Amino acid sequence: QKEVEQNSGPLSVPEGAIASLNCTYSDRVSQSFFWYRQYSGKSPELIMSIYSNGDKEDGRFTAQLNKASQYVSLLIRDSQPSDSATYLCAAPQGGNEKLTFGTGTRLTIIP
Amino acid sequence: GAGVSQSPSNKVTEKGKDVELRCDPISGHTALYWYRQSLGQGLEFLIYFQGNSAPDKSGLPSDRFSAERTGGSVSTLTIQRTQQEDSAVYLCASSLRDGYEQYFGPGTRLTVT
């Protein structure tokens, strides 16, 4: 099992709809989780961090963390074409505080 | 404030040559990371530095790769005797400390001909 796993996609969502991105992780003791957005040809950009069970909202973005089920998700409301990118999930794994990144989910918002 | 900076932004080199890539982290960040990303692929961890601790070199793909961090700030990644498979974007990131949010630089695109 990969330490941090994401569906590679591509995930296509109509403009204005909710995009839902999921990530599972293997290390139960992980305490911090991060979502990055990476546009083609650019470096990853941090968009959300979450440390506690439940939801964390920031504008159109909501991160959801369920430590019992070991998954973290990112919801993007009112999706815009500018949200089209690859989204990377990251968490410390294996008792090491060094972050492990998932391979990313490619999201396409269809106008 | 200033973000992570990397230089050069692009580097084209001939197979067999040595290259040095530079990373200047965000001021005050004690942790610094190097990653490699090949076209269409995920992030490949290479090495990280945390304060004055010995670096974690577990991701370096061969002994041709080395890195140092001087004065707890600027870092240099050196690739000796470059090979075509070394062609990739090399990304540097820094964080306030290990396990916290990482902020990435713009990357150096390395092309080995």
Side-chain angles (χ1 to χ4, degrees), chain A:
Chain A
Q1 181 188 1
K2 293 180 183 176
E3 293 177 319
V4 177
E5 195 157 1
Q6 299 180 252
N7 187 324
S8 63
L11 176 65
S12 296
V13 173
E15 183 175 357
I18 296 175
S20 178
L21 305 161
N22 299 310
C23 172
T24 58
Y25 59 93
S26 60
D27 190 345
R28 288 189 169 275
V29 302
S30 295
Q31 296 295 318
S32 53
F33 303 86
F34 308 96
W35 282 100
Y36 287 81
R37 177 177 62 199
Q38 186 173 24
Y39 291 116
S40 181
K42 301 294 186 182
S43 60
E45 170 193 11
L46 179 69
I47 54 172
M48 288 286 283
S49 56
I50 186 166
Y51 302 92
S52 305
N53 267 335
D55 295 0
K56 179 182 177 183
E57 187 174 319
D58 184 0
R60 295 186 297 109
F61 297 96
T62 299
Q64 299 176 319
L65 174 59
N66 184 322
K67 291 186 178 180
S69 300
Q70 294 177 238
Y71 82 77
V72 57
S73 61
L74 180 71
L75 302 179
I76 307 174
R77 291 183 302 281
D78 188 23
S79 297
Q80 303 297 309
S82 59
D83 296 326
S84 297
T86 296
Y87 290 79
L88 303 168
C89 171
Q93 296 292 287
N96 187 336
E97 291 192 355
K98 178 174 92 259
L99 292 185
T100 297
F101 285 82
T103 53
T105 298
R106 187 155 56 93
L107 174 67
T108 300
I109 306 302
I110 304 169

Side-chain angles (χ1 to χ4, degrees), chain B:
Chain B
V4 178
S5 61
Q6 292 186 245
S7 61
S9 55
N10 280 285
K11 176 73 176 178
V12 180
T13 190
E14 293 180 352
K15 177 182 173 181
K17 301 284 189 182
D18 297 353
V19 295
E20 284 190 353
L21 312 179
R22 176 188 167 106
C23 172
D24 202 339
I26 293 172
S27 178
H29 280 194
T30 62
L32 185 149
Y33 310 79
W34 283 98
Y35 297 90
R36 178 168 71 174
Q37 191 171 36
S38 300
L39 189 63
Q41 302 299 308
L43 291 173
E44 177 187 4
F45 164 77
L46 297 178
I47 186 171
Y48 95 92
F49 300 85
Q50 171 59 60
N52 295 321
S53 302
D56 177 349
K57 304 179 181 180
S58 60
L60 294 179
S62 78
D63 58 7
R64 296 186 296 104
F65 289 72
S66 63
E68 62 177 18
R69 188 178 185 190
T70 53
S73 181
V74 172
S75 177
T76 301
L77 177 69
T78 301
I79 308 173
Q80 296 178 310
R81 305 180 301 283
T82 52
Q83 304 295 312
Q84 287 188 329
E85 60 263 29
D86 299 334
S87 296
V89 175
Y90 288 82
L91 292 161
C92 175
S94 71
S95 67
L96 196 57
R97 69 171 199 241
D98 206 12
Y100 278 51
E101 294 93 339
Q102 292 184 22
Y103 296 90
F104 284 82
T108 294
R109 182 175 298 277
L110 175 66
T111 302
V112 181
T113 61

